[in-house]
Amino acid sequence: MSSVITVENLGKRYSLANTAAPAYSTLRDVMADAARRFLRREPVIEARAAKDFWALRNVSFEVKEGEVVGIVGRNGAGKSTLLKVLSRITSPTEGLARIRGRVGSLLEVGTGFHPELSGRENIFFNGAILGLRKHEIRARFDEIVEFAGVANFLDIPIKRYSSGMKMRLAFSVAAHLDPEIMIVDEVLAVGDAEFQKKCLGKMQDISGSGRTVLFVSHSMQTVTSLCSRCILLDRGRIRKDGTPSEVILEYLGGDGEFSGRADFASQGKVVGDDDVQLLYGEVIDENGRATIEVDIRRPVAVRMGFRVRRRSDIAFIPNFHFVIPGGTYAFVSSPDAPVSLPPGDYEAICHIPGDFLNEGSYFVGLAITSYTEGPVLHFFEQSALTFNVRDPMEGSVGRHGYVNVMPGVVRPRLKWTIEETR
């Protein structure tokens, strides 16, 4: 496949002045100031010092035709600036960006809309910007209006629309006018849950149709489900470019120093209370080795070591908290009745069979609770461990030719029967 977006050493610089400029000055003020300085023999003041801020620096990548690329990063990382450069809204300071194809952009609520024009007029206005003829826009008009749900407000000026109405119409226009390249910033959070679901479904249809999509989002679950590739921006530079699982692990791991094992005792870190203390946690493969990546078809286990510090009648309940990017949560504890343990070191292991977890990135929290007169949390170490479940796409269960990311947290191998009934 050929490249439709090529970015080479792209940079965008802004100047931040150290001193504020006068709010207003006339020609008379300037001449009087110059004369006063001449008579007093004062030196000419140089232009106020400015500090350069690089929103983007040395950014290079290519996007192939039909790719769906997610762009993630913290606030201020340069994501929106990059999309504005690619959408030709702002020009780069250095480098270049080549785009081959018609671009549809959805960057901010109401971007590209004229506030004095009605919703109907803005649909035709945006279509004309994309290079479509009037009859081509008319052919898609009813579908755009129905998807946006603004049929009763079509002839009202856009300036009277709520932010949610503007966003729905903007997304519908961008999605239905068939741009070859669609650039979408994090704007879906404005809509309600039902419309967000419609938007995600539409974007899946777009990505499945072979069109190219660049998508910025803070929802890691959305990036995982929509994108085949992900780019992590950090302070204006590309920190990682790879599969969504790899990049999201890097992003959420903070400094990137994560592993399948966390040894709290050797680090001198005390996690726990007077009753029980966490010693270590570990993700292990079927051979008992610490790992951060597991084949979806193979079993994996999570174990934690803990120390009971004093004799008591407390029945401890070890439990694991599995969290995937986006916040979906799974809680696992032993099905056996808890029993009180004498002082000593113990190990709790949770065995997960192959073909159970879905592909993607997982963060594991380690906790021990107890329940006597009420629930007691002795310790809870959030995101103590990380690992990634990888689908090699060979012999995978339930795909039947489907190549995108499957939805959900689990993808178990279950017993099925299909029988004719009559």
Side-chain angles (χ1 to χ4, degrees), residues 339-383:
V339 296
S340 58
L341 301 171
D345 292 352
Y346 298 87
E347 192 173 71
I349 306 177
C350 175
H351 299 272
I352 305 169
D355 288 321
F356 180 78
L357 292 176
N358 196 8
E359 62 180 314
S361 305
Y362 292 81
F363 290 78
V364 185
L366 309 176
I368 283 187
T369 56
S370 63
Y371 196 97
T372 50
E373 296 180 355
V376 176
L377 179 63
H378 297 277
F379 65 76
F380 178 31
E381 189 70 12
Q382 300 186 56
S383 302

Side-chain angles (χ1 to χ4, degrees), residues 111-144:
T111 298
F113 283 164
H114 193 294
E116 299 296 336
L117 298 181
S118 68
R120 183 189 306 275
E121 292 166 332
N122 269 292
I123 292 174
F124 283 91
F125 179 64
N126 274 263
I129 291 175
L130 286 175
L132 297 176
R133 298 181 182 276
K134 187 175 289 188
H135 71 273
E136 293 176 306
I137 303 172
R138 285 200 189 101
R140 300 169 174 86
F141 186 84
D142 291 341
E143 190 176 357
I144 292 171

Side-chain angles (χ1 to χ4, degrees), residues 319-341:
N319 46 82
F320 300 96
H321 301 248
F322 293 83
V323 183
I324 64 174
T328 306
Y329 201 94
F331 169 84
V332 180
S333 65
S334 171
D336 300 325
V339 296
S340 58
L341 301 171

Side-chain angles (χ1 to χ4, degrees), residues 71-118:
I71 301 175
V72 300
R74 303 187 187 281
N75 291 332
K79 305 183 299 297
S80 296
T81 301
L82 174 60
L83 296 194
K84 287 178 180 178
V85 171
L86 295 178
S87 300
R88 302 294 192 257
I89 291 175
T90 186
S91 58
T93 305
E94 62 183 20
L96 57 88
R98 298 191 188 96
I99 297 181
R100 183 170 59 84
R102 188 170 62 227
V103 176
S105 299
L106 185 58
L107 302 183
E108 297 175 2
V109 175
T111 298
F113 283 164
H114 193 294
E116 299 296 336
L117 298 181
S118 68

Side-chain angles (χ1 to χ4, degrees), residues 359 391 393 396-406 411:
E359 62 180 314
D391 187 348
M393 307 292 287
S396 300
V397 175
R399 280 202 171 271
H400 309 299
Y402 184 73
V403 296
N404 291 326
V405 176
M406 303 284 277
R411 209 170 88 201

